[in-house]
Amino acid sequence: MTNHWRDIKNTDLILINGANPAEAHPVGFQWFLAAKNDPKRGPGSGGGARIIHADPRFTRTSAMADIYARIRTGTDVAYFGGLINYVLQNNLYHKEYVLNYTNASFLVKKEFGFQDGLFTGYDPKTRKYDISSWGYQIDTAASDAYNAAHPPAGGAIATIAKRDMTLEDPQTVFQLMKQHYSRYTPEMVSRITGVPQDQFMRIAQLVGQMGTPDKVMTIVYAVGLTHHTTGGELIRSGALLQLLLGNMGRPGGGMNAERGHANIQGNTDHAISWEILPGYMQIPAPQRKTIDEYVAAQAPKKLDPHSWNFFGTNYKKFTVSLLKAWYGDAATKSNDFAFNFIPKPGQNSSWMSIYDQSLKGKMQGLILCGMTATSIGPDSNRVMQALANLKWLVVMDPLPTTSSEFWRRPGADPKSIQTEVFMIPTTHWIEKDGSFVNSGRWSQWKEQVIPPQGNARHDHWVLADLFTRVKALYQQQGGKFPDPVMALTMNYANPKQPTLDELAQEINGFDLTTKTRMSSFANLKDDGTTTAGDWIYTGSYPASGNLMRRTAGVQDVAKNDPTGMGFFPNWAWSWPLNRRVMYNRASADLAGNPWDPTRAAIKWDATQAKWVGDVPDYPATMKPYTQDPTAWLPFIMTGEGTGRLFSNSMVDGPLPEHYEPMESPVANPLHPNQSASPVAFIYSGGTGNFANVKDSFGTAADYPYVATSYRLTEHEHYVTQHVPLLAGLQPSPFVEIPQELANQKGIKSGDRVRVRSKRGKIEVLALVTKRLGPSTIDGKQIFQIGIPIHWGFVGVSADADPSKGANWLANALTPFVGDANAYTPEFKAFLVNLEKI
Amino acid sequence: MPGEHFVVAPGWTWLILLYFFFAGISGGAFVIGTMLRLWGSPSDAAASRLAFIVSFPLLLICPILLTLDLGQPARFWHMLVDVGSGTPAFKAYSPMSLGVWGLTLFGLFSFVMFLGAVGEGGYLRWRVLAGAGRVMNSALGKAFMVVGAIFGFFFAAYTGVLLAVSNQPVWSDTWTLGGLFLASGLSGAAATILLLSRGRRDAAVTDGKLMEADRYFIILELVLIAVFLITLGGVVSKVLGGGWILLWLVVLIGTLVPLVAEWRPALRRQLPPVLVPVLVLVGVLALRAVIIFSAQA
Amino acid sequence: MATQPVGFFTDTTLCIGCKACEVACKEWNGLPNNPLEFRGSYDNTGQLDHANWRHVRFVEQAGTSQDKPIAWSMMSDVCKHCANASCLEVCPTNAIVRTEFDTVFIQQDVCNGCRDCISACPYGVIGFNSNSGTAQKCTFCYDRLQNNLKPACATACPTQSIKFGPLAEMRQTAAARLDTLHQQGMSQARIYGNQEYGGLHALFLITDKPEAYNLPSTESAVLPSRNNIPGYLTMAVTAVVAAMAGLIAFRRRGESASPSPSGGGQGGG
Ligand SMILES: Nc1nc2c(c(=O)[nH]1)N[C@H]1C(S)=C(S)[C@@H](COP(=O)(O)OP(=O)(O)OC[C@H]3O[C@@H](n4cnc5c(=O)[nH]c(N)nc54)[C@H](O)[C@@H]3O)O[C@H]1N2
Ligand SMILES: Nc1nc2c(c(=O)[nH]1)N[C@H]1C(S)=C(S)[C@@H](COP(=O)(O)OP(=O)(O)OC[C@H]3O[C@@H](n4cnc5c(=O)[nH]c(N)nc54)[C@H](O)[C@@H]3O)O[C@H]1N2
Ligand code: SF4
Ligand code: SF4
Ligand code: SF4
Ligand code: SF4
Ligand code: SF4
Ligand SMILES: [Mo]
């Protein structure tokens, strides 16, 4: 989240797209209701914030919404695009904000273009874009002048872009954007999404009121947007709308991702995904030989004299401090701080590629820790084939999972599966202390609830033990490149059993000269005198102690939340630097006064000569522009210094465009010849059951119904299959079927049905409901059906069923294809057929 | 509809049905026995004895059925003694509480009269019972009987009130059940005595009178059934609908056939003599069954 | 919390049907799990009974506007702890008592399982536990109240749909909430439980007529004892008539002494 949970109470309008907070985030949902029940909030004269829920299914969230829009899965770019168009056509955007706080005025290269669903630079063979045309017109003179005056810091040379503050030049981002989205007329939006035009207009009129300083809107999303081949752009299109309305950086505004597991935010911050290093720095590409090469390639360029370009400027400091944290004394200036120790991925190593590699016979073994590959999918049958292709499989989990049991699943012949499976019982998170980082970036320390049960061991102890043994082997037998293993720091009281408190300190980082813990990443250095295991957490555990432990909360609201904005600055700690609302400099105008004084994040206090309120996302004492024309622009992390309406950071285009899901019932009404994303992540060669990748996709002819998969409030994915009381609340796997479709097929609630996709089938019960219904898509009547993900062949429900849970895995149906940017599987949109058993 | 509730059924079934059945006959028999003494001729003494003799054993079955129906039979006595305070547990406005006390006290009278009848009839030649007959026909004896009969009335009827004092559909929608169960109880009792009097020349002399009484009881019962159905208003579908109509047929046969038969001696002689009283008893059982089960369905 | 009358205010407009209340209640009171069978909807609990003392009812009705195709309201049902409690009224063993918190409590060691309370409760709250042989329902977390703890269900509710506090306070909160909703144009919103049965200790904010939530209307909220007098009266009248019938049928034949009805009356008691 750019903002945080409690902040949602500050909003006037809540757009929920691709999320079902009442069911997936029931506790956080209280803040949606707080806004709805606060008469001060809401469009016009208030009377309570309005909630607009766009979802293929009418859910428990829809029940609480003021407007429910039945949107077709995978089409939110059209929905947001239509709103962007409405806001631009009717001049409802936040003028001052757009002009000064976004890159609307930047001039884009003349070569840039968009035609028939393709941006310039596309190569069909590699399925990739050459993005060189997606840049700004550079003012070389200005750049040289600037670089002369300011010798490049941290390898970041300035390339100053041309701007037109009248926004009239056809090459301005503003004009290009206006033109791009002019195609997203209400009629077109309705054709694509299935949302009736009149309803869309009612939504647009509400959203259109949110571009004024005294109103603010929030957009809340979750994996209903991410689980698409277009996931990145789906989200970006919402962010664009928020920038146009001037809602970024403001309390009650922002683009807010409701995260997953209680600590999934912490996972990503600490680089659980393969393509980043801790703190969202890029993993170095193999060809990067030195830190400077790496920084030059990755660090954002300064594109405006008034942009601080904080990230770009400090990229090297963060990198060196990370290397010092990992390799300690072995990282010296002379060896470029052991930059060459960092493993550099030779190829894509994202989630699905793991199983692809295994199917291609390129993998020996796999350690699954705290997740259930088989159930997670996509295409569980393919995943299980992949697991069967391994020599060995280690499952670190407190409980049996479909992965630890895959070799004896119903219908499988254990003798034919050679994989040796090791089950290592680990502690569950309730059996350890440590921190949870919530969607609002609040790192909250928790205590151990119960001691480790049975012979369960902490994950970090298992891994530390494993590491020391591997290290010993290297010691005895040498090996190709032992140095990274040998040099890795294990400065813990007991290297085999580090405590999470020790890890938290390591993550925070130290000043090696004073031997004290760092208090801010602003003080990190690139000379090897500081460490930071994850720069964005620097300051979470300063010399004064573990700030994540702080608990000054609702027990005394007046004292602990002085601004009344819900910041609770002394409750736990949020990155970066305990800031609760990111980009909060943008919540105040050029003079430093909040757009809405009643809902201030920060404001310039002339008497104290500093910014007060939330922790400023800005130099604390830097005067506002009106007093100091050289002051930095508000978005200090970007090269532009502004929010980016146009960005070359996404591989599928600088402006979000609607593409159909890989499996879609219609050809893209905007450009039928480029229906799906041209850069969606599909696999080079076919594997598993499919000789050729394309074989794994079905067509509407054979699979006429659109399916989406999701959660129910009563279960947590797959693990709660071990919790009898929760199984009691939702005992059996089912599919939600629209009444009209059920009538056509003579299906009643409780009947057993078979759902097939090109990849597999499930056999579950029918839940027939009026909450789902037909949509008119491009003139055709289309039915969407809903498939909860929670069941499999492990757990109390399966044990109680004669079928033992055979054909209960929702992911037997889902396609093996991913988002172009994040490689997230397209769990949320695929084609199926449906029959009564 | 006013009085519409969203209840669950208490799950009172066979044991309770039989309890209500026997309570009706036991109480009714005692009342009839008493009335024969008060107003009948000396020749009716034998029939009256039968009535008292049958009342007690039937009554004895009742607490057994009631206890068996409890979830915690061993705690039957909790209905009489408040375990908290040790004082008697008595709630005038709770028919179940009142009923248990009624059963106990009526049991006393029924037992005494049973002994009296046994003694008078000379079935048991115990010294204590020798003077039974005299005592029974004395003013004191009659007074005792009358008080007992009042309990008899109550015992035959309260089970109807018990059902009514609830929030169950049907039961709580009418005020007729107490009276209805009493009327049918009396008619059942008359039928029982008629059955027993067969082959006893001494008792059979009263058969005519009993049939006449039964006729009146049946008419009373039919009137009350009509009122019952009317008072139900909308809910009536619950008792008439479904398969229940069949039980109502049994009730009708169990009332109309005896009514006609006892009116027309000519017709009666065609039928096997046991048939009429048996039909009555089956009708009495069916009436309670349809009311107990249909409401809980 | 001292020992002043307590109450629930369950606001269905805040209920998201998460069933945390159901689970919290089961956990705290160690109630058995529900059978693992699918009931064809999101509600696999079905009803309040001996093993379910909170039950989240999902009420699906026709929509209110094009933007709300269906009205799907959720309501966490519970024992109402009626001021005039039907169950307590009929209980022959005094197993059902009113506690120092003015709640209605079934003493498990006293109840003998006669089930009269079940026939009496107008809300279908009480269930018979065939294992214990007793009637069971919400205890209003008597044990927690005694230790100054909020009831488990109210503690677990993530949206404050279940509010707990002194009854008087709950009444005010409910009234205030109703005002807000009326101002927001929800004209159908109403409070249930202020008049019914002398005032319920579980108030509900509902947005449709009570029957839609399986709650008897205010005029239907009547006590079992209403039928005592009429019931016994009919019995008495019937007895009198029956006695007169007896008098006619059994009188000595041939004798002129046809006694007065009053005599029969006495005879009939
Ligand atoms: N009870 C419970 N809570 C959970 C979890 C759980 O398993 N159980 N899991 C946690 C985790 S890991 C995560 S990631 C989050 C996920 O939280 P959510 O993303 O809210 O959960 P989902 O149910 O996967 O999807 C949300 C909704 O997206 C809708 N949807 C699908 N496709 C589209 C689309 O293209 N557009 C729009 N507008 N809507 C779409 C679905 O119908 C669904 O209602 O939940 C977390 N919270
Ligand atoms: N079709 C479809 N597929 C989906 C999704 C979807 O919406 N649709 N959602 C996707 C998403 S967003 C997610 S996050 C995944 C969720 O998929 P998973 O993360 O696999 O789901 P969980 O059941 O939460 O599995 C967590 C496992 O971690 C174990 N565990 C808990 N605590 C600890 C611990 O401290 N240490 C260790 N080692 N183990 C622990 C639990 O026992 C459990 O087995 O599913 C993905 N798959
Ligand atoms: S399960 Fe935990 S994390 Fe999820 S909503 Fe409930 S309390 Fe929050
Ligand atoms: S709701 Fe039913 S059980 Fe609860 S107090 Fe009232 S009558 Fe008794
Ligand atoms: S079942 Fe128990 S609580 Fe209910 S009325 Fe009978 S004795 Fe009282
Ligand atoms: S008050 Fe206690 S017993 Fe009653 S429903 Fe809530 S949790 Fe269950
Ligand atoms: S816990 Fe609260 S929100 Fe959840 S179902 Fe119960 S009452 Fe509703
Ligand atoms: Mo997730």
Side-chain angles (χ1 to χ4, degrees), chain A residues 259-499:
Chain A
R259 303 305 312 272
H261 290 93
N263 197 28
I264 197 71
Q265 181 66 51
N267 278 323
T268 25
D269 297 342
H270 294 310
I272 193 108
S273 41
W274 68 284
E275 76 277 28
I276 54 169
L277 293 174
Y280 302 97
M281 291 191 293
Q282 275 294 322
I283 191 94
Q287 64 268 33
R288 310 278 171 244
K289 296 276 177 279
T290 67
I291 294 186
D292 286 335
E293 273 179 49
Y294 162 69
V295 171
Q298 301 304 348
K301 306 269 166 309
K302 186 178 175 90
L303 293 157
D304 187 279
H306 291 115
S307 96
W308 189 3
N309 190 27
F310 182 84
F311 199 25
T313 324
N314 293 285
Y315 215 91
K316 185 171 183 182
K317 297 174 184 162
F318 302 158
T319 312
V320 173
S321 299
L322 176 66
L323 289 164
K324 286 301 288 182
W326 281 357
Y327 304 118
D329 298 343
T332 62
K333 221 181 188 71
S334 52
N335 71 353
D336 201 20
F337 298 107
F339 178 71
N340 62 325
F341 287 7
I342 300 182
K344 307 179 181 59
Q347 68 207 20
N348 184 303
S349 315
S350 61
W351 173 257
M352 282 179 288
S353 65
I354 297 168
Y355 307 96
D356 199 51
Q357 291 300 309
S358 171
L359 284 165
K360 292 196 171 113
K362 295 187 183 161
M363 256 171 60
Q364 295 251 326
L366 178 60
I367 300 180
L368 297 176
C369 177
M371 46 77 147
T372 64
T374 314
S375 296
I376 291 177
D379 196 348
S380 295
N381 297 324
R382 191 192 302 220
V383 171
M384 288 189 281
Q385 263 186 319
L387 297 184
N389 243 22
L390 296 166
K391 267 209 174 53
W392 53 266
L393 170 68
V394 174
V395 175
M396 291 170 59
D397 204 290
L399 297 155
T401 72
T402 51
S403 304
S404 68
E405 309 305 304
F406 86 99
W407 53 276
R408 53 172 169 186
R409 66 188 182 270
D413 166 23
K415 276 184 252 57
S416 71
I417 297 173
Q418 293 313 317
T419 316
E420 188 175 2
V421 181
F422 304 88
M423 179 81 194
I424 301 197
T426 60
T427 51
H428 186 277
W429 50 260
I430 62 171
E431 297 166 273
K432 37 173 110 81
D433 64 347
S435 64
F436 275 155
V437 185
N438 73 6
S439 308
R441 298 165 287 104
W442 296 14
S443 187
Q444 310 180 90
W445 199 266
K446 61 176 177 47
E447 304 303 331
Q448 180 186 61
V449 181
I450 51 168
Q453 306 292 297
N455 33 25
R457 285 196 288 166
H458 295 319
D459 301 88
H460 47 298
W461 291 2
V462 172
L463 295 173
D465 191 353
L466 194 59
F467 176 78
T468 21
R469 293 177 196 221
V470 170
K471 190 172 173 179
L473 286 175
Y474 269 101
Q475 234 137 9
Q476 295 154 13
Q477 308 168 12
K480 259 219 187 67
F481 185 34
D483 315 32
V485 180
M486 292 305 157
L488 194 76
T489 57
M490 293 289 273
N491 310 332
Y492 315 115
N494 176 351
K496 281 191 177 175
Q497 300 190 341
T499 66

Side-chain angles (χ1 to χ4, degrees), chain B residues 190-199 204 207 211 214 257-258 261-262 265 267-281:
Chain B
T192 314
I193 301 164
L194 278 169
L195 272 180
L196 296 173
S197 70
R198 297 194 57 261
D207 286 6
M211 286 183 204
D214 194 21
V257 172
E262 288 166 350
L267 192 151
R268 193 174 71 245
R269 285 190 207 85
Q270 328 271 303
L271 308 169
V274 281
L275 182 67
V276 173
V278 168
L279 282 181
V280 172
L281 287 171

Side-chain angles (χ1 to χ4, degrees), chain A residues 50-68:
Chain A
R50 305 287 195 289
I51 300 177
I52 302 174
H53 188 217
D55 199 298
R57 309 175 303 123
F58 187 101
T59 72
R60 281 174 263 206
T61 301
S62 321
M64 295 288 136
D66 299 279
I67 299 182
Y68 164 72

Side-chain angles (χ1 to χ4, degrees), chain B residues 163-229:
Chain B
L163 294 183
V165 178
S166 73
N167 275 313
Q168 296 288 316
V170 179
W171 299 350
S172 65
D173 295 317
T174 179
W175 37 264
T176 49
L177 290 181
L180 181 53
F181 281 14
L182 174 54
S184 79
L186 285 163
S187 139
T192 314
I193 301 164
L194 278 169
L195 272 180
L196 296 173
S197 70
R198 297 194 57 261
R200 306 170 168 282
R201 220 175 287 92
D202 59 348
V205 294
T206 318
D207 286 6
K209 289 181 175 181
L210 283 167
M211 286 183 204
E212 184 185 350
D214 194 21
R215 233 157 45 221
Y216 302 146
F217 297 149
I218 288 175
I219 292 166
L220 188 55
E221 180 182 353
L222 285 169
V223 173
L224 282 160
I225 286 178
V227 186
F228 165 70
L229 294 173

Side-chain angles (χ1 to χ4, degrees), chain B residues 79 96, chain C residues 87 90-96 106 110-118 126 128 134-135:
Chain B
M79 296 211 183
M96 183 165 302
Chain C
C87 59
V90 299
C91 176
T93 65
N94 296 330
I96 306 188
I106 303 182
V110 179
C111 168
N112 70 8
C114 73
R115 279 127 49 229
D116 208 4
C117 53
I118 298 178
I126 306 179
F128 178 69
T134 56

